[in-house]
Amino acid sequence: MRKPLIAGNWKMNMTNSETSEMLKDLLSMELSKNVEKIIFPPYTSIDRAVNILKSSDIQVGAQNLSEFEEGAYTGEVSAKMLIDLEVAYVIVGHSERRTIFAEDNKKINDKVKRALKEGLKVVLCLGEPQEVRDADEQESFVKKQLQKSLEDVQIDYTKLVVAYEPIWAIGTGNTCNPKDAEAMCKFIRQSLEELADKDTADNIRILYGGSVKPDNIKEIMDRENIDGVLVGGASLKSEDFGRIINFEVEK
Ligand code: PGA
């Protein structure tokens, strides 16, 4: 049984005081115990978030990490620093890192290896741009991202989550049709079976991301191969994120 996972990626939003306010509001709500929950605040709010969420079942993740162990890498944050803050997960390969910060599959592969080596769980993001979807080449594009990002990685479904996030659906309000999202998540699962084995493919969690909101969460989560969501914009408001977490009771 794959436990549903609802994750909120705050991106470059939320000061420390805004973090406190949002999380206190979220904790005042009655949240489903049937789903795993993770918040990915900016680095500067991680310590605050960990402290506020300490006695809850909401985990804290980081949005990025350095591929290097330690040393003269000005502005970078290491896996060890994140572990010391009690961070559980790290996002690797988000499309904004790939496109705006020119992270290629080799760098992403190095980051995945570094994170797993130091004991962080990874949410690996994949997804095609609009022109690839227009040419109907999303499967080969995403498969290549998957293979290259996981080169020489021992795939362990307890430590790796994959998120399918078509770039054209991120922050645009233009959600991928749940049927198309399901087809891609199913394809990713089949590709994981080729890379690892059937047990791994059956048990690994695959998330959808891209304009997830309280009013579309239910139809997304209804799909067989979609085990959760990575939420950007709608994770910044406690009420919206709480409703997404509680999708099972959403009408
Ligand atoms: P969005 O972002 O929900 O604002 O589209 C999703 C993401 O980038 O993970």
Side-chain angles (χ1 to χ4, degrees):
M1 250 288 273
R2 302 188 295 263
K3 187 170 186 181
L5 199 170
I6 306 289
N9 172 13
W10 287 357
K11 309 192 179 183
M12 199 174 72
N13 296 292
M14 299 292 215
T15 61
N16 258 324
S17 45
E18 287 164 343
T19 297
S20 299
E21 201 180 322
M22 187 301 182
L23 292 179
K24 281 175 188 157
D25 281 354
L26 190 67
L27 289 178
S28 71
M29 299 168 72
E30 200 174 315
L31 301 174
S32 169
K33 299 263 177 265
N34 302 334
V35 304
E36 188 175 343
K37 304 173 268 294
I38 317 172
I39 299 273
F40 291 90
Y43 287 138
T44 47
S45 289
I46 286 178
D47 196 38
R48 176 79 57 107
V50 167
N51 280 307
I52 294 173
L53 298 173
K54 207 168 258 164
S55 51
S56 78
D57 66 347
I58 305 174
Q59 303 171 83
V60 178
Q63 299 171 18
N64 187 23
L65 85 162
S66 170
E67 66 271 38
F68 301 111
E69 187 176 359
E70 62 183 357
Y73 301 102
T74 302
E76 292 292 281
V77 171
S78 74
K80 280 202 181 86
M81 293 168 186
L82 298 175
I83 298 260
D84 187 57
L85 288 176
E86 295 174 37
V87 158
Y89 278 90
V90 64
I91 296 175
V92 180
H94 190 280
S95 63
E96 286 149 18
R97 300 295 319 170
R98 291 177 188 264
T99 56
I100 307 169
F101 300 99
E103 291 192 7
D104 59 12
N105 284 323
K106 163 79 176 76
K107 197 181 192 65
I108 288 159
N109 179 240
D110 288 343
K111 290 189 176 199
V112 170
K113 287 181 187 159
R114 173 65 58 198
L116 294 173
K117 181 163 186 252
E118 308 288 351
L120 290 165
K121 295 180 189 172
V122 171
V123 177
L124 171 67
C125 299
L126 313 167
E128 79 285 357
Q130 183 73 61
E131 59 274 20
V132 170
R133 172 64 64 161
D134 290 344
D136 198 24
E137 284 167 359
Q138 61 275 10
E139 290 194 350
S140 57
F141 185 92
V142 166
K143 188 168 186 173
K144 185 170 165 213
Q145 284 185 324
L146 183 74
Q147 287 168 334
K148 299 263 178 210
S149 308
L150 294 177
E151 211 161 81
D152 300 323
V153 171
Q154 185 69 40
I155 304 174
D156 176 343
Y157 64 80
T158 65
K159 306 212 165 92
L160 180 75
V161 172
V162 178
Y164 170 62
E165 301 203 300
I167 297 177
W168 45 271
I170 295 178
T172 57
N174 184 14
T175 323
C176 181
N177 175 327
K179 197 165 135 272
D180 295 340
E182 161 66 17
M184 281 305 287
C185 291
K186 186 173 178 188
F187 173 75
I188 291 170
R189 199 176 298 288
Q190 286 162 349
S191 305
L192 281 161
E193 185 172 339
E194 286 168 28
L195 278 184
D197 52 59
K198 183 156 178 13
D199 187 52
T200 302
D202 283 347
N203 285 291
I204 202 160
R205 280 160 323 158
I206 302 179
L207 315 181
Y208 165 77
S211 300
V212 174
K213 299 180 215 70
D215 61 7
N216 59 24
I217 181 70
K218 186 85 176 73
E219 53 174 344
I220 292 167
M221 291 304 292
D222 269 349
R223 302 284 161 163
E224 193 184 329
N225 285 286
I226 303 180
D227 307 313
V229 285
L230 184 53
V231 188
S235 71
L236 296 172
K237 293 205 179 83
S238 52
E239 201 202 319
D240 286 350
F241 195 55
R243 287 178 60 198
I244 291 172
I245 290 170
N246 291 338
F247 69 92
E248 287 158 316
V249 290
E250 272 291 308
K251 300 269 178 334

CSV table of all heavy atoms in Angstrom, one decimal, residues 55-112:
chain,number,residue,atom,x,y,z
A,55,SER,N,6.0,18.5,17.5
A,55,SER,CA,5.1,17.5,18.1
A,55,SER,C,3.9,17.2,17.2
A,55,SER,O,2.9,16.6,17.6
A,55,SER,CB,4.6,18.0,19.5
A,55,SER,OG,4.1,19.3,19.3
A,56,SER,N,4.0,17.5,15.9
A,56,SER,CA,3.0,17.2,14.9
A,56,SER,C,3.5,16.0,14.0
A,56,SER,O,4.6,15.6,14.1
A,56,SER,CB,2.6,18.4,14.0
A,56,SER,OG,3.6,18.5,13.0
A,57,ASP,N,2.6,15.6,13.1
A,57,ASP,CA,3.1,14.5,12.1
A,57,ASP,C,3.4,15.2,10.8
A,57,ASP,O,3.5,14.5,9.8
A,57,ASP,CB,2.1,13.4,12.0
A,57,ASP,CG,0.8,13.9,11.3
A,57,ASP,OD1,0.6,15.2,11.2
A,57,ASP,OD2,-0.1,13.1,10.9
A,58,ILE,N,3.7,16.5,10.8
A,58,ILE,CA,4.1,17.2,9.5
A,58,ILE,C,5.6,17.2,9.5
A,58,ILE,O,6.3,17.7,10.5
A,58,ILE,CB,3.5,18.6,9.4
A,58,ILE,CG1,2.0,18.5,9.6
A,58,ILE,CG2,3.9,19.2,8.1
A,58,ILE,CD1,1.3,19.9,9.6
A,59,GLN,N,6.2,16.7,8.4
A,59,GLN,CA,7.7,16.7,8.3
A,59,GLN,C,8.2,18.0,7.6
A,59,GLN,O,7.4,18.6,6.9
A,59,GLN,CB,8.2,15.5,7.6
A,59,GLN,CG,7.7,14.2,8.2
A,59,GLN,CD,8.0,13.0,7.3
A,59,GLN,OE1,9.1,12.5,7.3
A,59,GLN,NE2,7.0,12.6,6.5
A,60,VAL,N,9.5,18.2,7.7
A,60,VAL,CA,10.1,19.4,7.1
A,60,VAL,C,11.1,18.9,6.1
A,60,VAL,O,11.9,18.0,6.4
A,60,VAL,CB,10.7,20.4,8.1
A,60,VAL,CG1,11.3,21.6,7.4
A,60,VAL,CG2,9.6,20.8,9.1
A,61,GLY,N,11.1,19.5,4.9
A,61,GLY,CA,12.1,19.2,3.9
A,61,GLY,C,12.8,20.5,3.4
A,61,GLY,O,12.4,21.6,3.8
A,62,ALA,N,13.8,20.3,2.6
A,62,ALA,CA,14.5,21.4,2.0
A,62,ALA,C,14.3,21.4,0.5
A,62,ALA,O,14.0,20.4,-0.1
A,62,ALA,CB,16.0,21.3,2.3
A,63,GLN,N,14.4,22.6,-0.1
A,63,GLN,CA,14.0,22.7,-1.6
A,63,GLN,C,15.2,22.4,-2.5
A,63,GLN,O,15.1,22.3,-3.7
A,63,GLN,CB,13.6,24.1,-1.9
A,63,GLN,CG,12.3,24.5,-1.1
A,63,GLN,CD,12.0,26.0,-1.3
A,63,GLN,OE1,12.5,26.7,-2.2
A,63,GLN,NE2,11.2,26.6,-0.4
A,64,ASN,N,16.4,22.3,-1.9
A,64,ASN,CA,17.6,22.1,-2.7
A,64,ASN,C,18.8,21.7,-1.7
A,64,ASN,O,18.6,21.8,-0.5
A,64,ASN,CB,17.9,23.5,-3.4
A,64,ASN,CG,19.1,23.4,-4.4
A,64,ASN,OD1,19.4,22.4,-4.9
A,64,ASN,ND2,19.7,24.6,-4.6
A,65,LEU,N,19.9,21.3,-2.3
A,65,LEU,CA,21.1,21.0,-1.5
A,65,LEU,C,22.3,21.1,-2.5
A,65,LEU,O,22.1,21.1,-3.7
A,65,LEU,CB,21.0,19.7,-0.8
A,65,LEU,CG,21.5,18.4,-1.7
A,65,LEU,CD1,21.8,17.3,-0.7
A,65,LEU,CD2,20.5,18.0,-2.7
A,66,SER,N,23.5,21.2,-1.9
A,66,SER,CA,24.7,21.2,-2.7
A,66,SER,C,25.0,19.7,-3.0
A,66,SER,O,24.8,18.8,-2.2
A,66,SER,CB,25.8,21.8,-2.0
A,66,SER,OG,27.0,21.6,-2.7
A,67,GLU,N,25.6,19.5,-4.2
A,67,GLU,CA,26.1,18.2,-4.5
A,67,GLU,C,27.5,17.9,-3.8
A,67,GLU,O,27.9,16.8,-3.8
A,67,GLU,CB,26.2,18.0,-6.1
A,67,GLU,CG,27.3,18.8,-6.8
A,67,GLU,CD,26.8,20.2,-7.2
A,67,GLU,OE1,26.0,20.8,-6.5
A,67,GLU,OE2,27.2,20.7,-8.3
A,68,PHE,N,28.1,19.0,-3.3
A,68,PHE,CA,29.4,18.8,-2.7
A,68,PHE,C,29.2,18.5,-1.2
A,68,PHE,O,28.2,18.9,-0.5
A,68,PHE,CB,30.2,20.1,-2.8
A,68,PHE,CG,30.5,20.4,-4.3
A,68,PHE,CD1,29.9,21.5,-4.9
A,68,PHE,CD2,31.2,19.6,-5.1
A,68,PHE,CE1,30.0,21.8,-6.2
A,68,PHE,CE2,31.4,19.9,-6.4
A,68,PHE,CZ,30.8,21.0,-7.0
A,69,GLU,N,30.2,17.9,-0.6
A,69,GLU,CA,30.1,17.5,0.8
A,69,GLU,C,30.3,18.7,1.7
A,69,GLU,O,29.5,18.9,2.6
A,69,GLU,CB,31.2,16.4,1.1
A,69,GLU,CG,31.1,15.8,2.5
A,69,GLU,CD,32.1,14.7,2.8
A,69,GLU,OE1,32.9,14.4,1.9
A,69,GLU,OE2,32.0,14.2,3.9
A,70,GLU,N,31.4,19.4,1.5
A,70,GLU,CA,31.6,20.6,2.3
A,70,GLU,C,32.8,21.4,1.7
A,70,GLU,O,33.4,20.9,0.8
A,70,GLU,CB,32.0,20.3,3.8
A,70,GLU,CG,33.2,19.5,3.9
A,70,GLU,CD,33.5,19.1,5.4
A,70,GLU,OE1,32.8,19.5,6.3
A,70,GLU,OE2,34.5,18.4,5.6
A,71,GLY,N,33.0,22.6,2.2
A,71,GLY,CA,34.2,23.4,1.7
A,71,GLY,C,33.9,24.7,1.1
A,71,GLY,O,32.9,25.4,1.4
A,72,ALA,N,34.7,25.1,0.2
A,72,ALA,CA,34.7,26.5,-0.4
A,72,ALA,C,33.7,26.6,-1.5
A,72,ALA,O,34.0,26.6,-2.7
A,72,ALA,CB,36.1,26.8,-0.9
A,73,TYR,N,32.4,26.6,-1.1
A,73,TYR,CA,31.3,26.7,-2.1
A,73,TYR,C,30.4,27.8,-1.6
A,73,TYR,O,29.3,27.5,-1.0
A,73,TYR,CB,30.6,25.4,-2.2
A,73,TYR,CG,31.5,24.3,-2.7
A,73,TYR,CD1,32.0,23.3,-1.8
A,73,TYR,CD2,31.9,24.2,-4.0
A,73,TYR,CE1,32.8,22.3,-2.1
A,73,TYR,CE2,32.8,23.2,-4.4
A,73,TYR,CZ,33.3,22.3,-3.5
A,73,TYR,OH,34.1,21.3,-3.9
A,74,THR,N,30.8,29.0,-1.7
A,74,THR,CA,30.0,30.2,-1.2
A,74,THR,C,28.5,30.2,-1.6
A,74,THR,O,28.2,30.0,-2.8
A,74,THR,CB,30.7,31.5,-1.7
A,74,THR,OG1,32.0,31.5,-1.3
A,74,THR,CG2,30.0,32.7,-1.1
A,75,GLY,N,27.7,30.3,-0.6
A,75,GLY,CA,26.3,30.4,-0.8
A,75,GLY,C,25.6,29.0,-0.9
A,75,GLY,O,24.3,29.0,-1.0
A,76,GLU,N,26.3,28.0,-0.8
A,76,GLU,CA,25.7,26.6,-0.9
A,76,GLU,C,25.3,26.0,0.5
A,76,GLU,O,25.9,26.5,1.5
A,76,GLU,CB,26.6,25.7,-1.6
A,76,GLU,CG,26.8,26.0,-3.1
A,76,GLU,CD,25.6,25.8,-3.9
A,76,GLU,OE1,25.3,24.6,-4.2
A,76,GLU,OE2,24.9,26.8,-4.2
A,77,VAL,N,24.5,25.1,0.5
A,77,VAL,CA,24.0,24.4,1.8
A,77,VAL,C,24.2,22.9,1.6
A,77,VAL,O,23.8,22.3,0.6
A,77,VAL,CB,22.6,24.8,2.1
A,77,VAL,CG1,22.0,23.9,3.2
A,77,VAL,CG2,22.4,26.3,2.4
A,78,SER,N,24.9,22.3,2.6
A,78,SER,CA,25.2,20.9,2.4
A,78,SER,C,24.1,20.0,3.0
A,78,SER,O,23.3,20.4,3.9
A,78,SER,CB,26.6,20.6,3.1
A,78,SER,OG,26.4,20.6,4.5
A,79,ALA,N,24.2,18.7,2.6
A,79,ALA,CA,23.3,17.7,3.2
A,79,ALA,C,23.5,17.6,4.7
A,79,ALA,O,22.5,17.5,5.4
A,79,ALA,CB,23.6,16.4,2.5
A,80,LYS,N,24.7,17.6,5.1
A,80,LYS,CA,25.0,17.5,6.6
A,80,LYS,C,24.3,18.6,7.4
A,80,LYS,O,23.8,18.4,8.5
A,80,LYS,CB,26.5,17.5,6.9
A,80,LYS,CG,27.2,16.2,6.6
A,80,LYS,CD,28.5,16.1,7.4
A,80,LYS,CE,29.2,14.8,7.1
A,80,LYS,NZ,30.0,14.9,5.9
A,81,MET,N,24.4,19.8,6.8
A,81,MET,CA,23.7,21.0,7.5
A,81,MET,C,22.2,20.7,7.6
A,81,MET,O,21.6,21.1,8.6
A,81,MET,CB,24.0,22.3,6.7
A,81,MET,CG,25.4,22.7,6.7
A,81,MET,SD,25.6,24.0,5.4
A,81,MET,CE,27.4,24.2,5.5
A,82,LEU,N,21.6,20.2,6.6
A,82,LEU,CA,20.2,19.9,6.6
A,82,LEU,C,19.8,18.8,7.6
A,82,LEU,O,18.9,18.9,8.3
A,82,LEU,CB,19.7,19.5,5.2
A,82,LEU,CG,19.9,20.6,4.1
A,82,LEU,CD1,19.5,20.1,2.7
A,82,LEU,CD2,19.1,21.8,4.4
A,83,ILE,N,20.6,17.8,7.6
A,83,ILE,CA,20.4,16.7,8.6
A,83,ILE,C,20.5,17.2,10.0
A,83,ILE,O,19.6,16.9,10.8
A,83,ILE,CB,21.4,15.6,8.4
A,83,ILE,CG1,21.4,15.0,7.0
A,83,ILE,CG2,21.4,14.5,9.5
A,83,ILE,CD1,20.6,13.7,6.8
A,84,ASP,N,21.4,18.1,10.2
A,84,ASP,CA,21.6,18.7,11.6
A,84,ASP,C,20.4,19.5,12.0
A,84,ASP,O,20.1,19.6,13.2
A,84,ASP,CB,22.9,19.5,11.6
A,84,ASP,CG,23.2,20.0,12.9
A,84,ASP,OD1,23.4,19.1,13.8
A,84,ASP,OD2,23.3,21.2,13.2
A,85,LEU,N,19.6,20.0,11.0
A,85,LEU,CA,18.4,20.8,11.3
A,85,LEU,C,17.2,19.9,11.4
A,85,LEU,O,16.1,20.3,11.5
A,85,LEU,CB,18.2,21.8,10.2
A,85,LEU,CG,19.1,23.0,10.1
A,85,LEU,CD1,18.7,23.9,8.9
A,85,LEU,CD2,19.0,23.9,11.4
A,86,GLU,N,17.4,18.6,11.3
A,86,GLU,CA,16.4,17.6,11.3
A,86,GLU,C,15.4,17.6,10.1
A,86,GLU,O,14.2,17.3,10.2
A,86,GLU,CB,15.6,17.7,12.6
A,86,GLU,CG,16.5,17.3,13.8
A,86,GLU,CD,15.8,17.6,15.2
A,86,GLU,OE1,14.6,17.3,15.3
A,86,GLU,OE2,16.5,18.0,16.1
A,87,VAL,N,16.0,17.9,9.0
A,87,VAL,CA,15.3,17.9,7.7
A,87,VAL,C,15.2,16.4,7.3
A,87,VAL,O,16.2,15.7,7.4
A,87,VAL,CB,16.1,18.7,6.7
A,87,VAL,CG1,15.7,18.3,5.3
A,87,VAL,CG2,15.8,20.2,6.9
A,88,ALA,N,14.0,16.0,6.8
A,88,ALA,CA,13.8,14.6,6.4
A,88,ALA,C,14.0,14.4,4.9
A,88,ALA,O,14.6,13.4,4.5
A,88,ALA,CB,12.5,14.1,6.8
A,89,TYR,N,13.5,15.3,4.1
A,89,TYR,CA,13.5,15.2,2.7
A,89,TYR,C,14.2,16.4,2.0
A,89,TYR,O,14.3,17.5,2.6
A,89,TYR,CB,12.0,15.2,2.2
A,89,TYR,CG,11.2,14.0,2.3
A,89,TYR,CD1,10.5,13.6,3.5
A,89,TYR,CD2,11.2,13.1,1.3
A,89,TYR,CE1,9.8,12.5,3.6
A,89,TYR,CE2,10.4,11.9,1.3
A,89,TYR,CZ,9.7,11.6,2.5
A,89,TYR,OH,9.0,10.5,2.6
A,90,VAL,N,14.6,16.2,0.8
A,90,VAL,CA,15.0,17.3,0.0
A,90,VAL,C,14.5,17.1,-1.5
A,90,VAL,O,14.4,16.0,-2.0
A,90,VAL,CB,16.6,17.4,0.0
A,90,VAL,CG1,17.3,16.2,-0.6
A,90,VAL,CG2,17.1,18.6,-0.7
A,91,ILE,N,14.1,18.2,-2.1
A,91,ILE,CA,13.6,18.2,-3.5
A,91,ILE,C,14.9,18.4,-4.3
A,91,ILE,O,15.7,19.2,-4.1
A,91,ILE,CB,12.7,19.4,-3.7
A,91,ILE,CG1,11.4,19.3,-2.9
A,91,ILE,CG2,12.4,19.5,-5.2
A,91,ILE,CD1,10.5,20.6,-3.1
A,92,VAL,N,15.0,17.5,-5.3
A,92,VAL,CA,16.1,17.6,-6.3
A,92,VAL,C,15.5,17.6,-7.7
A,92,VAL,O,14.6,16.9,-8.0
A,92,VAL,CB,17.0,16.4,-6.1
A,92,VAL,CG1,18.2,16.5,-7.2
A,92,VAL,CG2,17.6,16.3,-4.7
A,93,GLY,N,16.0,18.5,-8.5
A,93,GLY,CA,15.6,18.6,-9.9
A,93,GLY,C,14.3,19.3,-10.2
A,93,GLY,O,13.7,19.1,-11.3
A,94,HIS,N,13.9,20.2,-9.3
A,94,HIS,CA,12.7,21.0,-9.6
A,94,HIS,C,13.0,21.7,-10.9
A,94,HIS,O,14.1,22.2,-11.2
A,94,HIS,CB,12.4,22.0,-8.5
A,94,HIS,CG,11.1,22.6,-8.7
A,94,HIS,ND1,10.8,23.7,-9.5
A,94,HIS,CD2,9.8,22.3,-8.1
A,94,HIS,CE1,9.6,24.0,-9.5
A,94,HIS,NE2,8.9,23.2,-8.7
A,95,SER,N,11.9,21.9,-11.7
A,95,SER,CA,12.1,22.5,-13.1
A,95,SER,C,12.6,24.0,-13.0
A,95,SER,O,13.3,24.4,-13.9
A,95,SER,CB,10.8,22.5,-13.8
A,95,SER,OG,9.8,23.3,-13.2
A,96,GLU,N,12.3,24.6,-11.8
A,96,GLU,CA,12.9,26.0,-11.7
A,96,GLU,C,14.4,25.9,-11.5
A,96,GLU,O,15.1,26.8,-11.9
A,96,GLU,CB,12.2,26.7,-10.5
A,96,GLU,CG,10.8,27.2,-11.0
A,96,GLU,CD,9.7,27.2,-9.9
A,96,GLU,OE1,10.1,27.2,-8.7
A,96,GLU,OE2,8.5,27.2,-10.2
A,97,ARG,N,14.9,24.9,-10.8
A,97,ARG,CA,16.4,24.7,-10.7
A,97,ARG,C,16.9,24.3,-12.1
A,97,ARG,O,18.0,24.8,-12.4
A,97,ARG,CB,16.7,23.6,-9.7
A,97,ARG,CG,16.2,23.8,-8.3
A,97,ARG,CD,16.8,24.9,-7.5
A,97,ARG,NE,18.2,25.2,-7.7
A,97,ARG,CZ,18.9,26.3,-7.3
A,97,ARG,NH1,18.2,27.2,-6.7
A,97,ARG,NH2,20.2,26.4,-7.5
A,98,ARG,N,16.2,23.5,-12.8
A,98,ARG,CA,16.7,23.0,-14.1
A,98,ARG,C,16.8,24.2,-15.1
A,98,ARG,O,17.8,24.4,-15.8
A,98,ARG,CB,15.8,21.9,-14.7
A,98,ARG,CG,15.9,20.6,-13.9
A,98,ARG,CD,14.9,19.6,-14.6
A,98,ARG,NE,14.7,18.4,-13.8
A,98,ARG,CZ,15.4,17.3,-14.1
A,98,ARG,NH1,16.3,17.2,-15.1
A,98,ARG,NH2,15.1,16.2,-13.4
A,99,THR,N,15.7,25.0,-15.1
A,99,THR,CA,15.7,26.0,-16.2
A,99,THR,C,16.3,27.4,-15.7
A,99,THR,O,17.2,27.8,-16.4
A,99,THR,CB,14.2,26.3,-16.6
A,99,THR,OG1,13.4,26.6,-15.5
A,99,THR,CG2,13.6,25.1,-17.3
A,100,ILE,N,16.0,27.9,-14.6
A,100,ILE,CA,16.5,29.2,-14.2
A,100,ILE,C,17.9,29.1,-13.7
A,100,ILE,O,18.7,30.0,-13.9
A,100,ILE,CB,15.6,29.8,-13.1
A,100,ILE,CG1,14.1,29.9,-13.5
A,100,ILE,CG2,16.1,31.2,-12.7
A,100,ILE,CD1,13.2,30.2,-12.4
A,101,PHE,N,18.3,28.0,-13.0
A,101,PHE,CA,19.6,27.9,-12.5
A,101,PHE,C,20.5,26.8,-13.3
A,101,PHE,O,21.5,26.4,-12.8
A,101,PHE,CB,19.6,27.5,-11.0
A,101,PHE,CG,18.8,28.6,-10.2
A,101,PHE,CD1,17.5,28.5,-9.9
A,101,PHE,CD2,19.5,29.8,-9.9
A,101,PHE,CE1,16.8,29.5,-9.2
A,101,PHE,CE2,18.8,30.8,-9.3
A,101,PHE,CZ,17.5,30.7,-8.9
A,102,ALA,N,20.0,26.5,-14.4
A,102,ALA,CA,20.8,25.6,-15.4
A,102,ALA,C,21.3,24.3,-14.8
A,102,ALA,O,22.4,23.9,-15.1
A,102,ALA,CB,21.9,26.5,-16.0
A,103,GLU,N,20.5,23.7,-13.9
A,103,GLU,CA,20.9,22.4,-13.4
A,103,GLU,C,20.6,21.3,-14.4
A,103,GLU,O,19.5,21.2,-14.8
A,103,GLU,CB,20.2,22.1,-12.1
A,103,GLU,CG,20.7,23.0,-11.0
A,103,GLU,CD,20.2,22.6,-9.6
A,103,GLU,OE1,19.7,21.5,-9.4
A,103,GLU,OE2,20.5,23.4,-8.6
A,104,ASP,N,21.7,20.6,-14.8
A,104,ASP,CA,21.4,19.5,-15.8
A,104,ASP,C,21.3,18.2,-15.1
A,104,ASP,O,21.5,18.1,-13.9
A,104,ASP,CB,22.5,19.5,-16.9
A,104,ASP,CG,23.9,19.3,-16.3
A,104,ASP,OD1,24.0,18.9,-15.1
A,104,ASP,OD2,24.9,19.5,-17.0
A,105,ASN,N,21.0,17.2,-15.9
A,105,ASN,CA,20.8,15.8,-15.3
A,105,ASN,C,22.0,15.3,-14.6
A,105,ASN,O,21.9,14.6,-13.6
A,105,ASN,CB,20.4,14.8,-16.4
A,105,ASN,CG,19.0,15.0,-16.9
A,105,ASN,OD1,18.1,15.3,-16.1
A,105,ASN,ND2,18.7,14.9,-18.2
A,106,LYS,N,23.2,15.7,-15.0
A,106,LYS,CA,24.4,15.2,-14.3
A,106,LYS,C,24.5,15.8,-12.9
A,106,LYS,O,24.8,15.1,-11.9
A,106,LYS,CB,25.7,15.6,-15.2
A,106,LYS,CG,27.0,15.6,-14.5
A,106,LYS,CD,27.5,14.2,-14.4
A,106,LYS,CE,28.9,14.2,-13.8
A,106,LYS,NZ,29.0,14.3,-12.4
A,107,LYS,N,24.2,17.1,-12.8
A,107,LYS,CA,24.3,17.8,-11.5
A,107,LYS,C,23.2,17.2,-10.6
A,107,LYS,O,23.4,17.0,-9.4
A,107,LYS,CB,24.0,19.3,-11.8
A,107,LYS,CG,24.4,20.2,-10.6
A,107,LYS,CD,24.1,21.6,-10.9
A,107,LYS,CE,24.7,22.6,-10.0
A,107,LYS,NZ,26.2,22.8,-9.9
A,108,ILE,N,22.0,17.0,-11.2
A,108,ILE,CA,20.9,16.4,-10.5
A,108,ILE,C,21.2,15.0,-10.0
A,108,ILE,O,21.0,14.7,-8.8
A,108,ILE,CB,19.6,16.5,-11.3
A,108,ILE,CG1,19.2,18.0,-11.4
A,108,ILE,CG2,18.5,15.6,-10.7
A,108,ILE,CD1,18.3,18.3,-12.5
A,109,ASN,N,21.9,14.3,-10.8
A,109,ASN,CA,22.3,12.9,-10.4
A,109,ASN,C,23.3,13.0,-9.2
A,109,ASN,O,23.2,12.3,-8.3
A,109,ASN,CB,23.0,12.2,-11.6
A,109,ASN,CG,23.5,10.9,-11.3
A,109,ASN,OD1,24.7,10.6,-11.5
A,109,ASN,ND2,22.6,10.0,-10.9
A,110,ASP,N,24.2,14.0,-9.3
A,110,ASP,CA,25.2,14.2,-8.2
A,110,ASP,C,24.5,14.6,-6.9
A,110,ASP,O,24.8,14.1,-5.8
A,110,ASP,CB,26.2,15.2,-8.5
A,110,ASP,CG,27.2,14.8,-9.6
A,110,ASP,OD1,27.3,13.6,-9.8
A,110,ASP,OD2,27.9,15.6,-10.2
A,111,LYS,N,23.4,15.4,-7.0
A,111,LYS,CA,22.7,15.8,-5.9
A,111,LYS,C,21.9,14.7,-5.2
A,111,LYS,O,21.8,14.5,-4.0
A,111,LYS,CB,21.7,17.0,-6.2
A,111,LYS,CG,22.5,18.3,-6.5
A,111,LYS,CD,21.6,19.5,-6.6
A,111,LYS,CE,22.4,20.7,-6.8
A,111,LYS,NZ,21.7,22.0,-6.5
A,112,VAL,N,21.3,13.9,-6.1
A,112,VAL,CA,20.5,12.7,-5.6
A,112,VAL,C,21.5,11.8,-4.8
A,112,VAL,O,21.2,11.4,-3.7
A,112,VAL,CB,19.9,11.9,-6.8
A,112,VAL,CG1,19.3,10.6,-6.3
A,112,VAL,CG2,18.8,12.7,-7.5
